Amino acid sequence: MNAMRRAAAPVVGVLVGAVAATSLLGGNATATESNVAGDRFAIREVIDRHQMYIDLRDADSYANLYAKDGHYRSPFGSADGRSEIKAMFIDLAEKGFTKGKRHMTGPAMIEVNGTTATARSWYWVAETEAEHAVYATGTYTDKLRKVNGKWEIVQRVQALDELAPNSQ
C-alpha cells in the first residue's frame, strides 16, 4: 500500500497543479493560454522592477533588465547596450536627477507573440522631498524578447505627457 501511495504521489501532484492553474486562469485555460499569462506576469515584473531599481539606485540590476543590445530613448537621454544604459543611469543619479523622486508604473497593455512582446504602460513620478506632488507623467513603449526563459527589454521609448496650453 505504501509503495502504491509513493508511486501515485507524483501523478496526483501534477493533476492538482493542472487543476489549480486552470482555476486561476478562468476554468477553461489551455496550456498556451497559461504560458501567455505567465509571460505577461513576467513582463509586468520587468516593467515594475525597472521603476524600483531607479529608486533603489541599483544601476547593475537596472541595466540587466535590458538585452545586451538593448536601447533606451527618452527626453532625458538615450543609450545603446547595457554598459551605456548603466552609465546613463549612474550619470543621471550623480547629477541628482532622480533625487527625491518615486517612480511608479500604472496600467500596462502587454501583447505576447511567442518569444517577443510589446508593452505600453503609463508612468508617473512623484516628488517626495520638496512637497508631495506628481512631478511628471507619461508613457513607456517597450519591445521585449525572451532569452533562456528570461524576458529582457530590447527597446524602451519614454515619452512625457504634454501640459495643457493654459497650464504652462
Side-chain angles (χ1 to χ4, degrees):
M1 188 68 154
N2 284 338
M4 186 181 281
R5 284 187 190 141
R6 279 191 300 263
V11 173
V12 171
V14 169
L15 290 173
V16 169
V19 169
T22 301
S23 302
L24 290 171
L25 295 168
N28 296 317
T30 65
T32 302
E33 289 169 339
S34 90
N35 292 346
V36 169
D39 285 334
R40 291 184 75 227
F41 181 81
I43 291 166
R44 183 62 207 213
E45 280 284 305
V46 170
I47 292 169
D48 291 342
R49 286 176 184 274
H50 184 275
Q51 304 299 67
M52 296 291 293
Y53 292 146
I54 295 170
D55 295 334
L56 294 171
R57 291 163 181 63
D58 187 343
D60 287 319
S61 295
Y62 178 87
N64 285 329
L65 293 173
Y66 287 83
K68 288 179 183 178
D69 60 345
H71 307 281
Y72 178 81
R73 302 287 181 263
S74 83
F76 316 110
S78 294
D80 297 305
R82 282 186 189 150
S83 61
E84 277 188 29
I85 290 168
K86 180 180 174 181
M88 180 189 69
F89 179 100
I90 291 169
D91 181 58
L92 288 171
E94 286 176 350
K95 289 178 179 174
F97 185 74
T98 59
K99 186 177 185 304
K101 306 292 184 286
R102 179 82 67 210
H103 297 76
M104 292 167 265
T105 306
M109 295 185 299
I110 302 168
E111 300 295 327
V112 177
N113 186 10
T115 59
T116 62
T118 57
R120 183 174 172 94
S121 56
W122 293 338
Y123 72 86
W124 66 98
V125 180
E127 169 63 47
T128 62
E129 285 187 359
E131 62 182 335
H132 290 111
V134 174
Y135 179 76
T137 62
T139 59
Y140 289 123
T141 303
D142 299 320
K143 294 182 181 180
L144 304 101
R145 77 173 159 238
K146 193 175 190 179
V147 178
N148 297 323
K150 179 183 167 195
W151 285 97
E152 300 174 325
I153 301 169
V154 174
Q155 178 179 314
R156 171 163 271 203
V157 177
Q158 177 182 4
L160 282 169
D161 289 335
E162 292 187 31
L163 295 175
N166 61 354
S167 66
Q168 296 179 359

